[in-house]
Amino acid sequence: MSDMRQKIVAAIRKIPRGKVSTYGAVARGAGYPGASRQVAWTLHRSFGLPWHRVLGAGGEIRLRGDSAIEQRLRLEAEGVAFRGRRVDMRKHEYRFPRAKAGKRKGRGSCP
DNA sequence: TAATTGACGGGCA
DNA sequence: GTGCCCGCCAATT
């Protein structure tokens, strides 16, 4: 099995209960920026993962039909608040630790 | 081997 | 807010 999938799975498992993340963020957290599609694929093929905690950019559910309903239900059951059809990322987005030395741009204040 | 697909992301009109 | 296009990467057919 590829290392990529293992890293992605590991990253997804780190998302704590009551928090969520996005495909792109998981990909970056796993060390593969730009591989957001593989995250979706992995979620689809691997079981035992907190799949409902992974959303699309902006905290939007990218699933369809019943799966989307179920995902929303599960998240709300964990205490995740929705704003319209998106999750309130401001409060529930989980940030992955920097895989590699990160460049801290300005923080807080600036320009 | 090549083409298609998929639970994506970001930019622009 | 909505719609369209292009870039990304692996698995499937």
PDB file of all heavy atoms in Angstrom, chain B:
ATOM      1  P    DT B   1       2.910   0.735 -20.232  1.00  0.00           P
ATOM      2  OP1  DT B   1       3.805  -0.228 -20.809  1.00  0.00           O
ATOM      3  OP2  DT B   1       3.100   1.747 -19.276  1.00  0.00           O
ATOM      4  O5'  DT B   1       1.805   1.226 -21.270  1.00  0.00           O
ATOM      5  C5'  DT B   1       2.032   1.148 -22.664  1.00  0.00           C
ATOM      6  C4'  DT B   1       0.935   1.899 -23.377  1.00  0.00           C
ATOM      7  O4'  DT B   1      -0.313   1.199 -23.139  1.00  0.00           O
ATOM      8  C3'  DT B   1       0.744   3.317 -22.845  1.00  0.00           C
ATOM      9  O3'  DT B   1       0.490   4.191 -23.932  1.00  0.00           O
ATOM     10  C2'  DT B   1      -0.477   3.211 -21.949  1.00  0.00           C
ATOM     11  C1'  DT B   1      -1.253   2.063 -22.567  1.00  0.00           C
ATOM     12  N1   DT B   1      -2.017   1.280 -21.564  1.00  0.00           N
ATOM     13  C2   DT B   1      -3.384   1.184 -21.676  1.00  0.00           C
ATOM     14  O2   DT B   1      -4.007   1.715 -22.565  1.00  0.00           O
ATOM     15  N3   DT B   1      -3.994   0.442 -20.725  1.00  0.00           N
ATOM     16  C4   DT B   1      -3.405  -0.223 -19.673  1.00  0.00           C
ATOM     17  O4   DT B   1      -4.071  -0.870 -18.864  1.00  0.00           O
ATOM     18  C5   DT B   1      -1.961  -0.092 -19.607  1.00  0.00           C
ATOM     19  C7   DT B   1      -1.187  -0.768 -18.520  1.00  0.00           C
ATOM     20  C6   DT B   1      -1.337   0.635 -20.538  1.00  0.00           C
ATOM     21  P    DA B   2       0.255   5.746 -23.656  1.00  0.00           P
ATOM     22  OP1  DA B   2       0.801   6.493 -24.828  1.00  0.00           O
ATOM     23  OP2  DA B   2       0.717   6.074 -22.293  1.00  0.00           O
ATOM     24  O5'  DA B   2      -1.348   5.912 -23.696  1.00  0.00           O
ATOM     25  C5'  DA B   2      -2.082   5.381 -24.785  1.00  0.00           C
ATOM     26  C4'  DA B   2      -3.574   5.651 -24.606  1.00  0.00           C
ATOM     27  O4'  DA B   2      -4.109   4.770 -23.593  1.00  0.00           O
ATOM     28  C3'  DA B   2      -3.898   7.084 -24.175  1.00  0.00           C
ATOM     29  O3'  DA B   2      -4.997   7.559 -24.938  1.00  0.00           O
ATOM     30  C2'  DA B   2      -4.245   6.940 -22.700  1.00  0.00           C
ATOM     31  C1'  DA B   2      -4.808   5.527 -22.619  1.00  0.00           C
ATOM     32  N9   DA B   2      -4.583   4.855 -21.322  1.00  0.00           N
ATOM     33  C8   DA B   2      -3.420   4.774 -20.587  1.00  0.00           C
ATOM     34  N7   DA B   2      -3.528   4.069 -19.483  1.00  0.00           N
ATOM     35  C5   DA B   2      -4.857   3.651 -19.486  1.00  0.00           C
ATOM     36  C6   DA B   2      -5.612   2.860 -18.592  1.00  0.00           C
ATOM     37  N6   DA B   2      -5.102   2.314 -17.487  1.00  0.00           N
ATOM     38  N1   DA B   2      -6.916   2.643 -18.880  1.00  0.00           N
ATOM     39  C2   DA B   2      -7.424   3.179 -20.005  1.00  0.00           C
ATOM     40  N3   DA B   2      -6.801   3.941 -20.936  1.00  0.00           N
ATOM     41  C4   DA B   2      -5.517   4.132 -20.607  1.00  0.00           C
ATOM     42  P    DA B   3      -5.609   9.017 -24.688  1.00  0.00           P
ATOM     43  OP1  DA B   3      -6.037   9.593 -25.982  1.00  0.00           O
ATOM     44  OP2  DA B   3      -4.685   9.762 -23.801  1.00  0.00           O
ATOM     45  O5'  DA B   3      -6.937   8.656 -23.863  1.00  0.00           O
ATOM     46  C5'  DA B   3      -7.869   7.741 -24.398  1.00  0.00           C
ATOM     47  C4'  DA B   3      -9.050   7.542 -23.439  1.00  0.00           C
ATOM     48  O4'  DA B   3      -8.637   6.777 -22.290  1.00  0.00           O
ATOM     49  C3'  DA B   3      -9.632   8.861 -22.923  1.00  0.00           C
ATOM     50  O3'  DA B   3     -11.042   8.800 -22.975  1.00  0.00           O
ATOM     51  C2'  DA B   3      -9.132   8.923 -21.493  1.00  0.00           C
ATOM     52  C1'  DA B   3      -9.008   7.455 -21.106  1.00  0.00           C
ATOM     53  N9   DA B   3      -7.974   7.188 -20.085  1.00  0.00           N
ATOM     54  C8   DA B   3      -6.684   7.641 -20.034  1.00  0.00           C
ATOM     55  N7   DA B   3      -6.001   7.207 -19.006  1.00  0.00           N
ATOM     56  C5   DA B   3      -6.900   6.402 -18.328  1.00  0.00           C
ATOM     57  C6   DA B   3      -6.802   5.636 -17.149  1.00  0.00           C
ATOM     58  N6   DA B   3      -5.696   5.550 -16.428  1.00  0.00           N
ATOM     59  N1   DA B   3      -7.890   4.952 -16.752  1.00  0.00           N
ATOM     60  C2   DA B   3      -9.008   5.026 -17.491  1.00  0.00           C
ATOM     61  N3   DA B   3      -9.231   5.715 -18.614  1.00  0.00           N
ATOM     62  C4   DA B   3      -8.124   6.377 -18.977  1.00  0.00           C
ATOM     63  P    DT B   4     -11.972  10.030 -22.460  1.00  0.00           P
ATOM     64  OP1  DT B   4     -13.170  10.106 -23.314  1.00  0.00           O
ATOM     65  OP2  DT B   4     -11.098  11.201 -22.267  1.00  0.00           O
ATOM     66  O5'  DT B   4     -12.441   9.488 -21.036  1.00  0.00           O
ATOM     67  C5'  DT B   4     -12.986   8.174 -20.942  1.00  0.00           C
ATOM     68  C4'  DT B   4     -13.383   7.856 -19.506  1.00  0.00           C
ATOM     69  O4'  DT B   4     -12.229   7.524 -18.721  1.00  0.00           O
ATOM     70  C3'  DT B   4     -14.107   9.005 -18.791  1.00  0.00           C
ATOM     71  O3'  DT B   4     -15.286   8.499 -18.191  1.00  0.00           O
ATOM     72  C2'  DT B   4     -13.116   9.459 -17.744  1.00  0.00           C
ATOM     73  C1'  DT B   4     -12.295   8.206 -17.478  1.00  0.00           C
ATOM     74  N1   DT B   4     -10.920   8.442 -17.002  1.00  0.00           N
ATOM     75  C2   DT B   4     -10.516   7.755 -15.876  1.00  0.00           C
ATOM     76  O2   DT B   4     -11.236   7.010 -15.260  1.00  0.00           O
ATOM     77  N3   DT B   4      -9.219   7.996 -15.493  1.00  0.00           N
ATOM     78  C4   DT B   4      -8.303   8.810 -16.107  1.00  0.00           C
ATOM     79  O4   DT B   4      -7.166   8.914 -15.658  1.00  0.00           O
ATOM     80  C5   DT B   4      -8.790   9.498 -17.287  1.00  0.00           C
ATOM     81  C7   DT B   4      -7.894  10.423 -18.045  1.00  0.00           C
ATOM     82  C6   DT B   4     -10.058   9.277 -17.674  1.00  0.00           C
ATOM     83  P    DT B   5     -16.332   9.471 -17.474  1.00  0.00           P
ATOM     84  OP1  DT B   5     -17.688   8.928 -17.658  1.00  0.00           O
ATOM     85  OP2  DT B   5     -16.024  10.854 -17.834  1.00  0.00           O
ATOM     86  O5'  DT B   5     -15.945   9.243 -15.943  1.00  0.00           O
ATOM     87  C5'  DT B   5     -15.918   7.918 -15.426  1.00  0.00           C
ATOM     88  C4'  DT B   5     -15.459   7.913 -13.982  1.00  0.00           C
ATOM     89  O4'  DT B   5     -14.045   8.117 -13.885  1.00  0.00           O
ATOM     90  C3'  DT B   5     -16.129   8.967 -13.100  1.00  0.00           C
ATOM     91  O3'  DT B   5     -16.574   8.348 -11.908  1.00  0.00           O
ATOM     92  C2'  DT B   5     -15.007   9.946 -12.802  1.00  0.00           C
ATOM     93  C1'  DT B   5     -13.786   9.049 -12.840  1.00  0.00           C
ATOM     94  N1   DT B   5     -12.518   9.718 -13.149  1.00  0.00           N
ATOM     95  C2   DT B   5     -11.419   9.399 -12.360  1.00  0.00           C
ATOM     96  O2   DT B   5     -11.458   8.622 -11.453  1.00  0.00           O
ATOM     97  N3   DT B   5     -10.267  10.043 -12.721  1.00  0.00           N
ATOM     98  C4   DT B   5     -10.097  10.947 -13.744  1.00  0.00           C
ATOM     99  O4   DT B   5      -8.995  11.440 -13.956  1.00  0.00           O
ATOM    100  C5   DT B   5     -11.275  11.243 -14.517  1.00  0.00           C
ATOM    101  C7   DT B   5     -11.206  12.213 -15.634  1.00  0.00           C
ATOM    102  C6   DT B   5     -12.417  10.614 -14.179  1.00  0.00           C
ATOM    103  P    DG B   6     -17.860   8.943 -11.231  1.00  0.00           P
ATOM    104  OP1  DG B   6     -18.751   7.842 -10.861  1.00  0.00           O
ATOM    105  OP2  DG B   6     -18.386  10.111 -11.964  1.00  0.00           O
ATOM    106  O5'  DG B   6     -17.147   9.492  -9.896  1.00  0.00           O
ATOM    107  C5'  DG B   6     -16.573   8.557  -8.980  1.00  0.00           C
ATOM    108  C4'  DG B   6     -15.730   9.314  -7.962  1.00  0.00           C
ATOM    109  O4'  DG B   6     -14.487   9.687  -8.585  1.00  0.00           O
ATOM    110  C3'  DG B   6     -16.388  10.609  -7.460  1.00  0.00           C
ATOM    111  O3'  DG B   6     -16.474  10.611  -6.023  1.00  0.00           O
ATOM    112  C2'  DG B   6     -15.464  11.706  -7.921  1.00  0.00           C
ATOM    113  C1'  DG B   6     -14.143  10.991  -8.161  1.00  0.00           C
ATOM    114  N9   DG B   6     -13.315  11.597  -9.191  1.00  0.00           N
ATOM    115  C8   DG B   6     -13.739  12.261 -10.295  1.00  0.00           C
ATOM    116  N7   DG B   6     -12.768  12.735 -11.030  1.00  0.00           N
ATOM    117  C5   DG B   6     -11.615  12.355 -10.358  1.00  0.00           C
ATOM    118  C6   DG B   6     -10.250  12.570 -10.652  1.00  0.00           C
ATOM    119  O6   DG B   6      -9.756  13.176 -11.605  1.00  0.00           O
ATOM    120  N1   DG B   6      -9.411  12.011  -9.711  1.00  0.00           N
ATOM    121  C2   DG B   6      -9.829  11.324  -8.612  1.00  0.00           C
ATOM    122  N2   DG B   6      -8.874  10.845  -7.818  1.00  0.00           N
ATOM    123  N3   DG B   6     -11.100  11.099  -8.317  1.00  0.00           N
ATOM    124  C4   DG B   6     -11.945  11.640  -9.223  1.00  0.00           C
ATOM    125  P    DA B   7     -17.975  10.511  -5.537  1.00  0.00           P
ATOM    126  OP1  DA B   7     -18.318   9.174  -5.088  1.00  0.00           O
ATOM    127  OP2  DA B   7     -18.816  11.177  -6.545  1.00  0.00           O
ATOM    128  O5'  DA B   7     -17.812  11.410  -4.265  1.00  0.00           O
ATOM    129  C5'  DA B   7     -18.394  12.708  -4.204  1.00  0.00           C
ATOM    130  C4'  DA B   7     -17.745  13.451  -3.075  1.00  0.00           C
ATOM    131  O4'  DA B   7     -18.060  12.770  -1.849  1.00  0.00           O
ATOM    132  C3'  DA B   7     -16.233  13.510  -3.195  1.00  0.00           C
ATOM    133  O3'  DA B   7     -15.800  14.852  -3.063  1.00  0.00           O
ATOM    134  C2'  DA B   7     -15.708  12.662  -2.066  1.00  0.00           C
ATOM    135  C1'  DA B   7     -16.874  12.650  -1.070  1.00  0.00           C
ATOM    136  N9   DA B   7     -16.957  11.389  -0.325  1.00  0.00           N
ATOM    137  C8   DA B   7     -17.257  10.144  -0.783  1.00  0.00           C
ATOM    138  N7   DA B   7     -17.263   9.215   0.138  1.00  0.00           N
ATOM    139  C5   DA B   7     -16.954   9.914   1.297  1.00  0.00           C
ATOM    140  C6   DA B   7     -16.804   9.517   2.620  1.00  0.00           C
ATOM    141  N6   DA B   7     -16.968   8.275   3.044  1.00  0.00           N
ATOM    142  N1   DA B   7     -16.494  10.460   3.523  1.00  0.00           N
ATOM    143  C2   DA B   7     -16.346  11.713   3.112  1.00  0.00           C
ATOM    144  N3   DA B   7     -16.455  12.212   1.889  1.00  0.00           N
ATOM    145  C4   DA B   7     -16.776  11.250   1.019  1.00  0.00           C
ATOM    146  P    DC B   8     -15.449  15.746  -4.309  1.00  0.00           P
ATOM    147  OP1  DC B   8     -16.552  16.675  -4.425  1.00  0.00           O
ATOM    148  OP2  DC B   8     -15.038  14.932  -5.452  1.00  0.00           O
ATOM    149  O5'  DC B   8     -14.187  16.581  -3.853  1.00  0.00           O
ATOM    150  C5'  DC B   8     -13.446  16.258  -2.679  1.00  0.00           C
ATOM    151  C4'  DC B   8     -12.254  17.207  -2.595  1.00  0.00           C
ATOM    152  O4'  DC B   8     -11.613  17.177  -3.864  1.00  0.00           O
ATOM    153  C3'  DC B   8     -12.649  18.657  -2.337  1.00  0.00           C
ATOM    154  O3'  DC B   8     -11.693  19.275  -1.455  1.00  0.00           O
ATOM    155  C2'  DC B   8     -12.617  19.287  -3.680  1.00  0.00           C
ATOM    156  C1'  DC B   8     -11.509  18.511  -4.371  1.00  0.00           C
ATOM    157  N1   DC B   8     -11.736  18.492  -5.833  1.00  0.00           N
ATOM    158  C2   DC B   8     -10.765  19.067  -6.671  1.00  0.00           C
ATOM    159  O2   DC B   8      -9.726  19.523  -6.178  1.00  0.00           O
ATOM    160  N3   DC B   8     -11.000  19.123  -8.001  1.00  0.00           N
ATOM    161  C4   DC B   8     -12.126  18.624  -8.495  1.00  0.00           C
ATOM    162  N4   DC B   8     -12.308  18.702  -9.805  1.00  0.00           N
ATOM    163  C5   DC B   8     -13.106  18.005  -7.663  1.00  0.00           C
ATOM    164  C6   DC B   8     -12.873  17.963  -6.347  1.00  0.00           C
ATOM    165  P    DG B   9     -11.837  20.807  -1.067  1.00  0.00           P
ATOM    166  OP1  DG B   9     -11.257  20.962   0.267  1.00  0.00           O
ATOM    167  OP2  DG B   9     -13.224  21.221  -1.357  1.00  0.00           O
ATOM    168  O5'  DG B   9     -10.878  21.553  -2.101  1.00  0.00           O
ATOM    169  C5'  DG B   9      -9.475  21.280  -2.076  1.00  0.00           C
ATOM    170  C4'  DG B   9      -8.730  22.444  -2.704  1.00  0.00           C
ATOM    171  O4'  DG B   9      -8.884  22.371  -4.126  1.00  0.00           O
ATOM    172  C3'  DG B   9      -9.278  23.801  -2.248  1.00  0.00           C
ATOM    173  O3'  DG B   9      -8.204  24.702  -2.013  1.00  0.00           O
ATOM    174  C2'  DG B   9     -10.153  24.241  -3.403  1.00  0.00           C
ATOM    175  C1'  DG B   9      -9.528  23.542  -4.610  1.00  0.00           C
ATOM    176  N9   DG B   9     -10.505  23.111  -5.612  1.00  0.00           N
ATOM    177  C8   DG B   9     -11.719  22.512  -5.413  1.00  0.00           C
ATOM    178  N7   DG B   9     -12.358  22.225  -6.526  1.00  0.00           N
ATOM    179  C5   DG B   9     -11.504  22.663  -7.527  1.00  0.00           C
ATOM    180  C6   DG B   9     -11.641  22.620  -8.943  1.00  0.00           C
ATOM    181  O6   DG B   9     -12.563  22.165  -9.620  1.00  0.00           O
ATOM    182  N1   DG B   9     -10.544  23.173  -9.577  1.00  0.00           N
ATOM    183  C2   DG B   9      -9.443  23.695  -8.948  1.00  0.00           C
ATOM    184  N2   DG B   9      -8.487  24.193  -9.721  1.00  0.00           N
ATOM    185  N3   DG B   9      -9.300  23.738  -7.617  1.00  0.00           N
ATOM    186  C4   DG B   9     -10.360  23.204  -6.976  1.00  0.00           C
ATOM    187  P    DG B  10      -8.523  26.190  -1.494  1.00  0.00           P
ATOM    188  OP1  DG B  10      -7.507  26.531  -0.492  1.00  0.00           O
ATOM    189  OP2  DG B  10      -9.961  26.284  -1.163  1.00  0.00           O
ATOM    190  O5'  DG B  10      -8.265  27.072  -2.803  1.00  0.00           O
ATOM    191  C5'  DG B  10      -7.078  26.857  -3.560  1.00  0.00           C
ATOM    192  C4'  DG B  10      -7.138  27.677  -4.836  1.00  0.00           C
ATOM    193  O4'  DG B  10      -8.022  27.050  -5.785  1.00  0.00           O
ATOM    194  C3'  DG B  10      -7.680  29.078  -4.567  1.00  0.00           C
ATOM    195  O3'  DG B  10      -6.841  30.035  -5.208  1.00  0.00           O
ATOM    196  C2'  DG B  10      -9.069  29.048  -5.167  1.00  0.00           C
ATOM    197  C1'  DG B  10      -8.976  27.989  -6.251  1.00  0.00           C
ATOM    198  N9   DG B  10     -10.233  27.308  -6.511  1.00  0.00           N
ATOM    199  C8   DG B  10     -11.158  26.850  -5.607  1.00  0.00           C
ATOM    200  N7   DG B  10     -12.198  26.291  -6.157  1.00  0.00           N
ATOM    201  C5   DG B  10     -11.943  26.372  -7.521  1.00  0.00           C
ATOM    202  C6   DG B  10     -12.703  25.932  -8.633  1.00  0.00           C
ATOM    203  O6   DG B  10     -13.800  25.354  -8.628  1.00  0.00           O
ATOM    204  N1   DG B  10     -12.076  26.206  -9.834  1.00  0.00           N
ATOM    205  C2   DG B  10     -10.864  26.829  -9.961  1.00  0.00           C
ATOM    206  N2   DG B  10     -10.417  27.016 -11.201  1.00  0.00           N
ATOM    207  N3   DG B  10     -10.135  27.249  -8.930  1.00  0.00           N
ATOM    208  C4   DG B  10     -10.731  26.994  -7.742  1.00  0.00           C
ATOM    209  P    DG B  11      -7.214  31.599  -5.015  1.00  0.00           P
ATOM    210  OP1  DG B  11      -5.995  32.317  -4.595  1.00  0.00           O
ATOM    211  OP2  DG B  11      -8.469  31.731  -4.241  1.00  0.00           O
ATOM    212  O5'  DG B  11      -7.510  32.009  -6.533  1.00  0.00           O
ATOM    213  C5'  DG B  11      -6.743  31.395  -7.563  1.00  0.00           C
ATOM    214  C4'  DG B  11      -7.318  31.782  -8.917  1.00  0.00           C
ATOM    215  O4'  DG B  11      -8.428  30.923  -9.240  1.00  0.00           O
ATOM    216  C3'  DG B  11      -7.831  33.221  -8.922  1.00  0.00           C
ATOM    217  O3'  DG B  11      -7.456  33.855 -10.152  1.00  0.00           O
ATOM    218  C2'  DG B  11      -9.338  33.046  -8.829  1.00  0.00           C
ATOM    219  C1'  DG B  11      -9.588  31.704  -9.494  1.00  0.00           C
ATOM    220  N9   DG B  11     -10.759  31.003  -8.973  1.00  0.00           N
ATOM    221  C8   DG B  11     -11.104  30.791  -7.665  1.00  0.00           C
ATOM    222  N7   DG B  11     -12.225  30.140  -7.514  1.00  0.00           N
ATOM    223  C5   DG B  11     -12.643  29.898  -8.810  1.00  0.00           C
ATOM    224  C6   DG B  11     -13.800  29.219  -9.292  1.00  0.00           C
ATOM    225  O6   DG B  11     -14.709  28.685  -8.646  1.00  0.00           O
ATOM    226  N1   DG B  11     -13.854  29.199 -10.676  1.00  0.00           N
ATOM    227  C2   DG B  11     -12.908  29.751 -11.484  1.00  0.00           C
ATOM    228  N2   DG B  11     -13.119  29.636 -12.802  1.00  0.00           N
ATOM    229  N3   DG B  11     -11.822  30.381 -11.061  1.00  0.00           N
ATOM    230  C4   DG B  11     -11.749  30.416  -9.713  1.00  0.00           C
ATOM    231  P    DC B  12      -7.725  35.450 -10.295  1.00  0.00           P
ATOM    232  OP1  DC B  12      -6.578  36.019 -11.010  1.00  0.00           O
ATOM    233  OP2  DC B  12      -8.135  35.999  -8.980  1.00  0.00           O
ATOM    234  O5'  DC B  12      -8.990  35.489 -11.279  1.00  0.00           O
ATOM    235  C5'  DC B  12      -8.965  34.730 -12.492  1.00  0.00           C
ATOM    236  C4'  DC B  12     -10.341  34.748 -13.161  1.00  0.00           C
ATOM    237  O4'  DC B  12     -11.237  33.865 -12.475  1.00  0.00           O
ATOM    238  C3'  DC B  12     -10.998  36.135 -13.153  1.00  0.00           C
ATOM    239  O3'  DC B  12     -11.502  36.432 -14.445  1.00  0.00           O
ATOM    240  C2'  DC B  12     -12.134  35.970 -12.164  1.00  0.00           C
ATOM    241  C1'  DC B  12     -12.484  34.515 -12.293  1.00  0.00           C
ATOM    242  N1   DC B  12     -13.144  33.929 -11.120  1.00  0.00           N
ATOM    243  C2   DC B  12     -14.286  33.144 -11.322  1.00  0.00           C
ATOM    244  O2   DC B  12     -14.672  32.948 -12.471  1.00  0.00           O
ATOM    245  N3   DC B  12     -14.914  32.624 -10.250  1.00  0.00           N
ATOM    246  C4   DC B  12     -14.451  32.861  -9.014  1.00  0.00           C
ATOM    247  N4   DC B  12     -15.112  32.315  -8.000  1.00  0.00           N
ATOM    248  C5   DC B  12     -13.295  33.654  -8.791  1.00  0.00           C
ATOM    249  C6   DC B  12     -12.668  34.162  -9.868  1.00  0.00           C
ATOM    250  P    DA B  13     -12.135  37.864 -14.803  1.00  0.00           P
ATOM    251  OP1  DA B  13     -11.427  38.447 -15.963  1.00  0.00           O
ATOM    252  OP2  DA B  13     -12.231  38.635 -13.539  1.00  0.00           O
ATOM    253  O5'  DA B  13     -13.612  37.466 -15.259  1.00  0.00           O
ATOM    254  C5'  DA B  13     -13.807  36.485 -16.277  1.00  0.00           C
ATOM    255  C4'  DA B  13     -15.311  36.287 -16.537  1.00  0.00           C
ATOM    256  O4'  DA B  13     -15.894  35.569 -15.434  1.00  0.00           O
ATOM    257  C3'  DA B  13     -16.077  37.597 -16.650  1.00  0.00           C
ATOM    258  O3'  DA B  13     -17.116  37.481 -17.617  1.00  0.00           O
ATOM    259  C2'  DA B  13     -16.684  37.773 -15.271  1.00  0.00           C
ATOM    260  C1'  DA B  13     -16.911  36.337 -14.814  1.00  0.00           C
ATOM    261  N9   DA B  13     -16.774  36.165 -13.372  1.00  0.00           N
ATOM    262  C8   DA B  13     -15.798  36.632 -12.552  1.00  0.00           C
ATOM    263  N7   DA B  13     -15.959  36.300 -11.292  1.00  0.00           N
ATOM    264  C5   DA B  13     -17.125  35.553 -11.289  1.00  0.00           C
ATOM    265  C6   DA B  13     -17.838  34.904 -10.270  1.00  0.00           C
ATOM    266  N6   DA B  13     -17.467  34.897  -8.992  1.00  0.00           N
ATOM    267  N1   DA B  13     -18.966  34.254 -10.616  1.00  0.00           N
ATOM    268  C2   DA B  13     -19.346  34.250 -11.903  1.00  0.00           C
ATOM    269  N3   DA B  13     -18.754  34.823 -12.952  1.00  0.00           N
ATOM    270  C4   DA B  13     -17.640  35.459 -12.573  1.00  0.00           C
TER     271       DA B  13
END
